[in-house]
Amino acid sequence: MLDQRDRRIVEYLQHDADMPVTDLADLVGLSASACWRRIKSLEESGLITRRVALVDRRKANVGMTVFVAVRTSRHSIEWLESFRSAIADIPEIVEAYRLTGDMDYLLRMVVPDVEVYDAVYKQLIARLDFTDISSFIGMEELKYTTAVPMNYLI
């Protein structure tokens, strides 16, 4: 069972995973060793899956975000595994979701320009058959976060 301090620890770490444990402990009202033990427990429980560095996409020259809606007429496990394998091999695809509704899959890609997106598109259609692929270029990022809300933890 997680308490309010655990929630606050996770909230702070989602915003700055490099925060020194002593500073974090002060913020949540714990000793540094007690805070460290809680962090380790949160990692062992799987709530904190890993700590990563977030890269500025523009400085990495992949400032364009393209959302790609995919529709297929094939709904077999074999096709899904082929699709999963194909997108795993393409680093420009940073997120992929299987959906309900009119579209079967939604991909989020980061690329430097339309020419690179077109090359990725050609990689996809060379490997698999699709009924429809619709692309949407993000014009402005209004909100982006990797943090998830902590108010639903049990």
Side-chain angles (χ1 to χ4, degrees), residues 2-17 24 28 38-39 42-43 45 47-48 147-150 153:
L2 300 176
D3 65 14
Q4 195 58 33
R5 284 187 173 140
D6 292 324
R7 286 181 179 86
R8 291 181 61 211
I9 288 169
V10 175
E11 286 174 349
Y12 284 120
L13 288 177
Q14 286 189 99
H15 290 81
D16 183 3
L24 180 57
V28 299
R38 284 182 183 237
I39 293 168
L42 291 163
E43 290 172 341
S45 75
L47 180 63
I48 296 175
V148 298
M150 291 292 100
L153 282 174

Side-chain angles (χ1 to χ4, degrees), residues 137-143:
I137 295 174
M139 300 297 290
E140 179 182 5
E141 187 175 276
L142 301 176
K143 179 179 180 180

Side-chain angles (χ1 to χ4, degrees), residues 60-121:
N61 194 32
V62 286
M64 178 182 283
T65 299
V66 182
F67 298 93
V68 181
V70 174
R71 187 179 298 147
T72 180
S73 61
R74 308 253 333 259
H75 295 280
S76 68
I77 294 297
E78 294 81 14
W79 192 93
L80 173 60
E81 291 307 318
S82 295
F83 182 63
R84 189 184 312 266
S85 175
I87 63 176
D89 293 341
I90 301 172
E92 292 85 358
I93 299 173
V94 295
E95 292 183 72
Y97 300 92
R98 190 165 53 92
L99 306 173
T100 62
D102 291 336
M103 287 296 153
D104 297 311
Y105 302 91
L106 181 65
L107 310 176
R108 184 172 73 89
M109 296 185 191
V110 293
V111 293
D113 52 41
V114 172
E115 289 80 15
V116 172
Y117 166 68
D118 188 47
V120 172
Y121 169 83

